[in-house]
Amino acid sequence: MDIDITLHVDGEPRSLSVDTRTTVLDALREQLGVTAPKKGCDHGQCGSCTCLVDGRRVTTCLSLAVAHDGAQITTAAGLGSERDLHAVQQAFVDHDGFQCGYCTPGQICSAVGMLDEARSGFASYVTADLTAGVVLDADEIRERMSGNLCRCGAYVNIVAAIGELAP
Amino acid sequence: MSDAIATRPLGADVGRLDGPRKVTGAAIYAYEHPLTDPAYVFPLLSTAARGRVVGIDAAEAQRLPGVLAVLTHEPAPKLADTSNPELAVLQSPAIHFRGQIVGAVVAESLEIGAHAAALVCIEEQASEHDVVLRVDHPDVFKPDDDETDTAHGDAEAGLCPAATVDATYTTPHQHQGAMEPHTSVALWSDDTLRLYESTQSVHGVRETIAEVFGLRAEQVEVTAPFVGGGFGSKGEVHANTVLAVMAARAVPGRPVKLALTRRQVFTLGSHRTPTIQRVRLGADASGGLLAITHDVWAHTSRVQVYIDQIAAATRMMYAAPSIATTHRLAPLDVPFPSWMRAPSEAPGMYALECAIDELAVALRIDAIELRIHNDPPADPVSGKPWSSRNLVACLRQGAERFGWAGRDPAPRRRRDGRWLAGTGVAGSTYPVFHTPGSQARVEFRADGRYEVSIGAMDVGTGTWTSLAQVAAEALGVPLERVALQIGDTALPYSHVPGGSAGITSWGATLFGAARAFRDRHGDDPAPGDAVTAGAPDNPAEDAYAMHAFGAHFAEVRVDADTGEVRVPRMLGVFAIGRVVNPRTARSQLIGGMTFGLSMALHEEVVMDAALGAIVTTDLAGYHIAANADVGDIDAAWIDEIDPHVNAMGTKGIGELGIVGSAAAIANAVFHATGIRVRDLPITPDKLLRARVELSARA
Ligand code: FES
Ligand code: FES
């Protein structure tokens, strides 16, 4: 069955008709030609497909497009452009926080969402004192970024890049 | 020429030129090239581990709206060359492993394809299978390869009175796990085949696909500007590419897209063979090695021989009057093994470097001093001089930076609450390979830039940046005046960059082409002046033993109650000749060490022996190190000038970082716990079981 929906992708309303089985990720990549989010596993296990959906980081391979009619979706392409990088993107370039680049748009979206979570006081598994507010040290960043796998092994540089921007 | 340049391009700390494209998602990978009206291919896989397909009922799938074709072996699209059983896709009903391609659905969308695939009924007749590697497997054979067995001196005599270490190590079936799954997009137009491919070698794909389909090489065009990691798994063509090309023939005029699902990659994307390795070391009381033997058992497919020279590094790592190595293979009903990052050295050096540590413990000699004591002045087997060998410098500098001095070698002495702490060291080495025959084209353009073209690849290695630096250096111009073109068969021929030979082989080619360009057109060329040339042979190649070296240091903490192993700190110090770009070089080395950490503690493809099935076919079952698994990892290198390796003095670095790193961690785990786990990965169950055994004996 096909259903008409509208997704607001990187600030632009995009109307399309989707199979009810289509994920947000496939709607973006296959129907709208938005290929910044990547498909690494299609299982919610790698984080390559991470986008900001209504401001929160979401694995779009596990989200059905029909359930996101009207959603605001921000991909790495919407965060910055090649000539005008977002601060997180610039930090990734400066610290060489990637190699093949396939996990990277997902890492970037995840980092932006994570920094926002931390600023809002969300605790993580390694937060020792739940009442003291969040200090994003290296262990906090590692924990909070562990939903994004990087087979090239760029974690050390990813942590350094995000650490530069941590509150 | 290069005097005019303030900062030499070679060796400059340049950020990735493709960085902005990658962080914004603008870099285009195989599945993402814009296409008109593509169709989608969904492979159907066998569920028997051995046997044959006896019936296929695709009627229901074919009735589904949106299904364009169902491919099976009957009627099979005939291939011109079926000599490689891995690539003889759908050429017979035979099943050689569970997860083999036995058909495919071509459909209008991904959703319809997946739905239709579930509707195809495949009837299989299973025969008895065997997927378990063991030393006494009845079919174990000696592969027909020059270097299968080597014997230098009389090893048995050297071991005779003084076999100080005799240990058997095992490493599991491992998986490369590149984040981008194996992907092929194929389009036939007239008699030309266009492929957008996730590959480590566009020209390799062209050659192989042309052979399999009986085409001239020029009929196959392959494009791959960006590749989401390969780690060896995309060095050779696998069955998915053949299937995509077949499927494209089934829907004339339409491009087809085939990305293996994550599950499918585990059986079709190749893997590292499991190994059983017996290492024996004979030494005198002062630690001088008298004999080294390294015997290796690995598996291969029952229908195709694949061998890694796993004991190769043992033949050159340490001095001993006698060194003997053997390799045996067990033919099993398993998926096809292939290259995985440092195919031979990663498992082989894990075993050797753990054995050296065991010797150090047995002889009460410091593990670094023992290695230095046995550092050979020349290649111990061939007798050739080293082009450069700086293992000792790596060990000494590493010890200094890591804080090795004063280490108490006694195990299980350092406790911090629940945590047992320990440190370990291991050596690393990787050969300097050079794959000859590549060509590059240099053209001077009207905009004052030099267009430099070569069919080289960037699979995350940094080629877009480092090769541009090499070109600038070779031409004697600033980096901004180089426009590099790579990743396409339209560009001059390049060999597959296996064996970390990328930058050394392509770089040497660029130096050759730049020299030819200057010879022909001088320093002040006119727009349009161009030359295509390769590198001259390196006369030093046969005269010297050429290897990179390194020393790994690891600090671990082991939870005394749960057996969980953490690695707060790793340091690698390497001898890699001249470094083209320190930023990307460090990333590659750290990436290799992270791979090694993952190998030491996490990675294992689990096979169900009864079903002949891989159980761990996703990234939850097959855990690769995540961010929280990795602590501080740093990589450094010594100043090393090697005048013999090539025009630049560079050695490959893509694989060196993984070699020995798992051993450093295993040795640190022993230091922390007193438990020697000789079976990777070092998981809590193994440590806990060993502890129970220890206390039962006590
Ligand atoms: S593709 Fe969505 S988590 Fe892997
Ligand atoms: S950069 Fe290659 S997987 Fe992360």
Side-chain angles (χ1 to χ4, degrees), chain A residues 21-22 29-30 38-40 45 77 82 89 94 96 98-102 142 146 151-152 155 157 159, chain B residues 16 21-23 29 31-32 40 111 175-177 257 262 460 587 591 603 618-619 625 628 630 632:
Chain A
R21 299 167 296 188
T22 301
R29 286 170 61 84
E30 299 310 310
K38 306 299 179 202
K39 187 186 281 188
Q45 293 173 341
E82 284 177 62
Q89 292 169 326
D94 293 344
D96 211 31
F98 55 93
Q99 293 180 42
C100 76
Y102 199 76
R142 289 180 187 124
S146 279
R151 188 50 155 169
C152 294
Y155 300 126
N157 294 347
V159 172
Chain B
R16 278 173 210 262
R21 269 187 285 176
K22 283 181 172 168
V23 295
Y29 297 81
Y31 209 69
E32 300 168 354
Y40 295 83
E111 294 78 14
H175 183 68
Q176 300 92 338
K257 301 174 80 169
R262 185 48 65 183
S587 290
E603 292 181 35
D618 60 36
L619 294 169
V630 177
D632 288 332

Side-chain angles (χ1 to χ4, degrees), chain B residues 21 23 132-133 135 174 266 350 427 459 501 609 623 628:
Chain B
R21 269 187 285 176
V23 295
V132 182
L133 172 65
V135 168
Q174 293 171 345
F266 277 89
Y350 153 70
V459 294
H623 180 66

Side-chain angles (χ1 to χ4, degrees), chain A residues 19-123:
Chain A
D19 189 314
T20 49
R21 299 167 296 188
T22 301
T23 60
V24 170
L25 180 62
D26 286 334
L28 290 171
R29 286 170 61 84
E30 299 310 310
Q31 285 182 260
L32 300 178
V34 177
T35 55
K38 306 299 179 202
K39 187 186 281 188
C41 70
D42 218 13
H43 278 329
Q45 293 173 341
C46 75
S48 305
C49 63
T50 306
C51 294
L52 297 167
V53 178
D54 297 327
R56 288 282 171 76
R57 48 181 174 156
V58 161
T59 45
T60 55
C61 70
L62 290 188
S63 318
L64 289 171
V66 279
H68 287 80
D69 189 14
Q72 297 285 343
I73 296 171
T74 306
T75 73
L79 288 170
S81 66
E82 284 177 62
R83 280 165 200 278
D84 184 21
L85 297 178
H86 182 281
V88 170
Q89 292 169 326
Q90 186 64 53
F92 268 63
V93 172
D94 293 344
H95 289 272
D96 211 31
F98 55 93
Q99 293 180 42
C100 76
Y102 199 76
C103 74
T104 312
Q107 302 271 6
I108 301 273
C109 288
S110 190
V112 170
M114 181 275 273
L115 288 166
D116 199 49
E117 290 158 22
R119 273 190 287 267
S120 311
F122 289 25

Side-chain angles (χ1 to χ4, degrees), chain B residues 80 148 170 201 226 257 261 302 316 325 438 468 487 495 529 599 630 637 640 672:
Chain B
T148 294
T170 53
S201 169
F226 293 100
K257 301 174 80 169
T261 66
R302 198 190 287 273
M316 47 65 63
T325 65
S438 296
H495 266 296
D529 283 352
M599 170 181 176
V630 177
W637 44 86
E640 183 179 75

